[in-house]
Amino acid sequence: VYHGLLDHDALFELYKKADLLLNVRLTQSMNTAYLFPSKFLEYLAVGKPVLSTCVAHIEEVYGDYCYLLREETASALAERILEIMRIPTTERHKLGVAARQYMLSNRTWDAQGRRIKDYILSCC
């Protein structure tokens, strides 16, 4: 169902109702060397399970906090969603909570600011 353009509050109400958030981007049939879907970070912070293609460094950095889709076809996507839905709800929920905790500990403005500061100080 297309819900149209939503304001922030309505979008997060919709997130609450979701069982799985999808971050599906084609990575194999087009050059995505400089692409990173920032919406993916929001999805992880929401605390719901996320299924993502392996765009950019998602698998390396966030692979422990989401489900991955390596084959970019409609049938593989459908099968992966069905596989995830067979995982017990409590286990899927734990993954979403772990992702949220990771994001709140490591990817806030304060955390990123500290990383940038440490990087600059290490170079100077």
Side-chain angles (χ1 to χ4, degrees):
V1 174
Y2 177 65
H3 294 275
L5 297 175
L6 302 175
D7 65 27
H8 193 259
D9 292 337
L11 177 62
F12 277 80
E13 284 301 314
L14 198 56
Y15 283 162
K16 285 182 187 178
K17 297 176 184 176
D19 292 315
L20 180 69
L21 299 174
L22 301 178
N23 178 62
V24 181
R25 303 286 187 275
L26 293 176
T27 66
Q28 297 163 2
S29 63
M30 56 189 298
N31 182 3
T32 59
Y34 302 103
L35 170 75
F36 187 86
S38 59
K39 187 60 87 172
F40 172 75
L41 302 177
E42 180 177 298
Y43 290 170
L44 291 179
V46 166
K48 292 287 186 167
V50 177
L51 171 61
S52 180
T53 49
C54 297
V55 64
H57 55 277
I58 284 178
E59 183 171 10
E60 294 81 15
V61 176
Y62 302 100
D64 291 338
Y65 303 103
C66 66
Y67 298 105
L68 298 170
L69 178 66
R70 291 186 178 90
E71 184 183 335
E72 298 173 3
T73 65
S75 60
L77 175 61
E79 180 55 35
R80 190 69 173 119
I81 291 170
L82 292 173
E83 287 172 10
I84 293 166
M85 292 297 103
R86 287 191 288 269
I87 296 169
T89 303
T90 54
E91 191 176 328
R92 292 193 319 260
H93 177 73
K94 284 180 189 176
L95 182 65
V97 169
R100 178 172 170 72
Q101 189 57 46
Y102 175 81
M103 295 304 288
L104 294 176
S105 297
N106 299 286
R107 296 298 188 244
T108 62
W109 282 103
D110 287 342
Q112 292 292 78
R114 283 189 299 275
R115 288 180 64 217
I116 293 167
K117 179 188 123 198
D118 291 345
Y119 173 76
I120 291 170
L121 291 175
S122 73
C123 294
C124 299

